[in-house]
Amino acid sequence: MNLEALIPEVCAIARRAAAAILGIYEGEFAVEHKDDRSPLTAADLAAHRTIVDGLQALTPDIPILSEESAEISWDERRRWTRYWLVDPLDGTREFVKRNGEFTVNIALIDGDRSVLGVVQAPVTGLIAWAWRDGGAWMASANSAQARRCQTRPRAHPLIVAGSRSHPSPQLVSMLDKVGAHEIIPLGSSLKFLRIAAAEADLYLRLGPTSEWDTAAAQCVLEEAGGAVLDLQGRPLRYNGKESLLNPEFMALADTSVDWAGLFREG
């Protein structure tokens, strides 16, 4: 499969989903809640339909797993060798708060790895994309030119992209182990993009996330030179178990640092 050739089409699908989201964001909308009490809006569903229709037309033989169609059984999923993994609206809480910090996430999983990722921020128009061995790229809404992303060496003090809606006392305790740092609260996959763009060093996530929350941004960050690892230092992998929940993880810029070892100290 020519991953690079898919990128323009997937970016176009992400932009159409973003337009569908903004059409609802700019008006009045109702908020429902799923079984896990996470919010759900008409924007999630509109983006889901837009992305699924677009991907089915683009690659009709590749199955799609979306947050809004997560009822697909493990017996079926375990037979997949390649599939699309989608979060139509990552950061619904931020959408509800109207702070603009939400994204559209589309990833292609091959085996157990994210090999293509597109992350689009509807409010700002920022879009990032990457494919295996093709590098990570980012473009603003007002720019016709993309820039290649490269993570930076560990900064002092450390800039930590923190979760705006999921603060944790345990997180504060763990970050104390890495020395001086500044926390920048941010929603959704935008935290990964800050790291990929050499504007932050670390995102440590101790609360629950699902595989569609991380897959697209993981590809972008890895191709920019960073990594997304569990707390034992192993890369996040996909579709390897019945549960779609990720382990606790760290997204990082400087892979030469033994972050797992730092967090184990003390």
Side-chain angles (χ1 to χ4, degrees):
M1 176 171 285
N2 186 338
L3 297 176
E4 183 177 4
L6 288 174
I7 288 291
E9 298 292 341
V10 180
C11 285
I13 292 168
R15 288 189 173 103
R16 292 200 297 272
I21 289 169
L22 288 178
I24 295 165
Y25 186 66
E26 292 165 355
E28 296 298 322
F29 54 84
V31 180
E32 302 175 12
H33 287 85
K34 305 177 191 177
D35 292 342
D36 64 358
R37 303 190 62 79
S38 61
L40 174 68
T41 69
D44 296 78
L45 299 176
H48 166 77
R49 288 191 293 268
T50 299
I51 294 168
V52 169
D53 289 349
L55 292 177
Q56 285 178 338
L58 178 64
T59 55
D61 296 329
I62 299 180
I64 303 166
L65 177 64
S66 167
E67 180 177 9
E68 309 314 332
S69 61
E71 70 280 358
I72 297 171
S73 72
W74 169 235
D75 283 343
E76 180 177 351
R77 284 193 293 111
R78 70 195 307 171
R79 295 194 295 269
W80 293 353
T81 58
R82 181 182 291 144
Y83 67 102
W84 293 104
L85 182 56
V86 174
D87 192 343
L89 202 171
D90 180 27
T92 304
R93 287 182 174 84
E94 316 310 327
F95 177 93
V96 171
K97 295 174 186 175
R98 295 185 186 271
N99 65 18
E101 296 176 0
F102 50 87
T103 59
V104 174
N105 300 342
I106 305 175
L108 180 65
I109 308 300
D110 192 349
D112 60 359
R113 302 188 180 205
S114 179
V115 298
L116 180 153
V118 172
V119 179
Q120 211 274 348
V123 170
T124 64
L126 178 72
I127 188 165
W129 64 89
W131 69 96
R132 182 176 52 199
D133 300 327
W137 303 82
M138 198 173 293
S140 66
N142 302 319
S143 175
Q145 277 196 325
R147 62 185 178 93
R148 188 159 187 168
C149 299
Q150 182 66 48
T151 58
R152 67 187 187 185
R154 177 183 178 176
H156 299 276
L158 202 70
I159 303 299
V160 178
S163 175
R164 187 178 293 282
S165 294
H166 303 277
S168 163
Q170 184 185 358
L171 174 66
V172 174
S173 174
M174 291 184 70
L175 288 176
D176 284 344
K177 299 177 180 180
V178 301
H181 60 273
E182 175 186 352
I183 299 179
I184 302 173
L186 201 60
S188 72
S189 291
L190 293 173
K191 296 181 284 291
F192 294 82
L193 299 194
R194 284 287 184 93
I195 300 170
E199 296 171 357
D201 302 289
L202 178 70
Y203 165 40
L204 180 62
R205 181 56 189 258
L206 302 182
T209 59
S210 296
E211 293 186 356
W212 48 72
D213 292 315
T214 56
Q218 179 173 357
C219 185
V220 172
L221 182 51
E222 288 179 343
E223 287 295 326
V228 183
L229 311 173
D230 67 19
L231 298 189
Q232 286 70 51
R234 299 170 298 208
L236 287 198
R237 294 291 180 250
Y238 295 91
N239 206 37
K241 60 188 187 310
E242 182 172 4
S243 171
L244 289 164
L245 293 178
N246 288 318
E248 295 177 332
F249 67 84
M250 48 191 168
L252 52 97
D254 190 343
T255 59
S256 71
V257 177
D258 179 13
W259 298 98
L262 286 176
F263 291 127
R264 285 194 297 269
E265 289 179 0

